[in-house]
Amino acid sequence: MSIIKSYAAKQAGSDLEVWEYDAGELKPEDVEVLVDYCGICHSDLSMIDNEWGMSSYPLVAGHEIIGRVAALGEAAQNKGLKVGQRVGVGWTARSCGHCDACISGNQINCLEGSVPTIMNRGGFADKLRADWQWIIPLPESIDIETAGPLLCGGITVFKPLLLNNVTATSRVGVIGIGGLGHIAIKLLHAMGAEVTAFSSNPAKEKEVLAMGADRVVNSRDPEALKTLAGQFDLIINTVSVDLDWQPYFEALAYGGNFHTVGAVMKPLQVPAFTLIGGDRSISGSATGNPAELRKLMKFAGRTKVAPTTEMFPMSQINEALKHVRDGKARYRVVLKADF
């Protein structure tokens, strides 16, 4: 038997309890990872609460994992991974490997359905398992205590920068400076882009400027938004609340793109001529594929980009989850394994 100790939700919305399960034999394509740190994401809360109607219990959440390779399946050997190596695991644990999306390197959009780490039993545990492709090697230069949130929140905002070919000459706006937005600010600053932060909390201004924003605009000030018409090559939305989007669409330069990674539940209302006039576009994206994750971790290691985090021992996981639920996290919470 291979017993894994975890913290699991036994039913929707419940506190997490210590739960041990037998992981069985290691599958040929699998890697077993010993967990050192695991970030807490709002998606963990959504899955614990079954907000998306796809959770099954007992549920072991956690998908921003920093750990070490503990064991390699037969087919996972000779894939560049070694026992004891420092690695990360993000939102996705498995993909089929043979559909058109996977073969093209777009595994996150696996046509047979990529398997989220949470649905695979995740990182609120002493160990977990995932397909070797989704085990991300970490550079020696990365800060392992804060790196976990890069594997979900970080890649979520890094991917739009790749898709939109952001460079040091790009003018980029970021809506919402929370768990996602603050990482976007730091990444864009490291790239040399001109960065504007849109925030509804004036108290954050000094902090956001210190993260690398060139300016902070009050997202609740219609007059301030009007003065920005035609200025941005890219605007990234990280909030899930419904806003008056039209001023942001009009703030796009010709050829500019409004890209949402925030799961806004109401449809985005946009007049056709707002897009037609100026060749503007609207897009969205999920998290990244293994190649994009590797690229992010190398970039973060080289430029010293690190999320702003608060640390809790994993034994205080329910207190840490409440801290996130209450909106008190500044800006991400990371659990340190202490089994």
Side-chain angles (χ1 to χ4, degrees):
M1 292 196 303
S2 181
I3 300 299
I4 291 181
K5 298 177 181 178
S6 73
Y7 289 96
K10 298 294 182 69
Q11 59 186 10
S14 67
D15 281 351
L16 305 194
E17 304 174 29
V18 175
W19 180 58
E20 296 186 357
Y21 66 92
D22 183 2
E25 290 188 17
L26 194 63
K27 296 177 182 177
E29 301 279 347
D30 274 6
V31 176
E32 186 169 87
V33 175
L34 182 68
V35 177
D36 290 318
Y37 300 94
C38 187
I40 295 177
C41 174
H42 273 281
S43 298
D44 293 313
L45 300 179
S46 295
M47 290 294 290
I48 289 168
D49 295 345
N50 198 23
E51 286 181 2
W52 300 334
M54 56 190 263
S55 302
S56 59
Y57 302 89
L59 183 138
V60 182
H63 60 278
E64 296 179 343
I65 301 135
I66 300 295
R68 289 159 287 155
V69 174
L72 296 160
E74 185 178 358
Q77 298 174 18
N78 302 315
K79 302 294 187 185
L81 298 169
K82 299 180 295 184
V83 171
Q85 182 177 357
R86 188 77 68 178
V87 294
V89 185
W91 174 256
T92 307
R94 305 184 187 282
S95 50
C96 78
H98 59 259
C99 71
D100 287 348
C102 286
I103 290 296
S104 69
N106 198 9
Q107 297 97 323
I108 193 63
N109 291 310
C110 175
L111 300 178
E112 293 197 7
S114 57
V115 179
T117 299
I118 302 175
M119 302 287 284
N120 188 65
R121 291 181 178 158
F124 294 166
D126 65 341
K127 292 182 287 188
L128 81 157
R129 294 177 178 182
D131 186 283
W132 66 267
Q133 290 187 73
W134 293 98
I135 304 297
I136 309 302
L138 300 181
E140 291 290 333
S141 55
I142 206 161
D143 177 22
I144 61 169
E145 291 190 2
T146 60
L150 292 172
L151 293 156
C152 180
I155 190 63
T156 298
V157 293
F158 187 60
K159 186 165 183 174
L161 311 187
L162 299 178
L163 292 173
N164 289 276
N165 301 308
V166 167
T167 69
T169 64
S170 300
R171 299 161 299 172
V172 184
V174 179
I175 305 172
I177 314 304
L180 294 178
H182 92 282
I183 302 176
I185 296 291
K186 293 185 177 189
L187 290 170
L188 286 161
H189 178 69
M191 289 179 167
E194 181 183 308
V195 191
T196 298
F198 294 99
S199 175
S200 62
N201 185 354
K204 286 185 178 180
E205 181 173 355
K206 191 173 181 180
E207 201 170 3
V208 174
L209 290 171
M211 290 175 185
D214 294 288
R215 59 180 169 178
V216 180
V217 176
N218 188 338
S219 59
R220 293 180 177 174
D221 184 346
E223 295 305 314
L225 296 177
K226 284 180 183 178
T227 66
L228 302 175
Q231 292 194 18
F232 297 97
D233 303 304
L234 172 66
I235 295 177
I236 303 171
N237 171 53
T238 71
V239 303
S240 56
V241 297
D242 189 41
L243 299 177
D244 178 8
W245 302 111
Q246 188 61 25
Y248 295 103
F249 300 150
E250 293 175 355
L252 295 172
Y254 66 88
N257 180 36
F258 180 95
H259 189 102
T260 188
V261 295
V264 183
M265 300 310 292
K266 290 186 178 181
L268 302 180
Q269 301 290 334
V270 52
F273 280 107
T274 298
L275 303 181
I276 293 171
D279 296 339
R280 301 182 181 101
S281 60
I282 296 175
S283 60
S285 61
T287 60
N289 62 43
E292 291 163 340
L293 282 160
R294 290 183 180 216
K295 186 176 293 187
L296 170 59
M297 303 315 274
K298 289 175 183 176
F299 179 74
R302 181 170 61 82
T303 60
K304 304 303 181 185
V305 168
T308 301
T309 62
E310 297 178 81
M311 188 78 69
F312 284 74
M314 196 172 286
S315 56
Q316 294 180 16
I317 191 166
N318 287 309
E319 292 88 339
L321 289 168
K322 185 178 187 302
H323 191 67
V324 176
R325 284 186 190 277
D326 292 345
K328 295 180 179 178
R330 300 286 288 210
Y331 282 77
R332 305 287 287 198
V333 168
V334 173
L335 302 169
K336 183 176 182 179
D338 60 346
F339 283 94

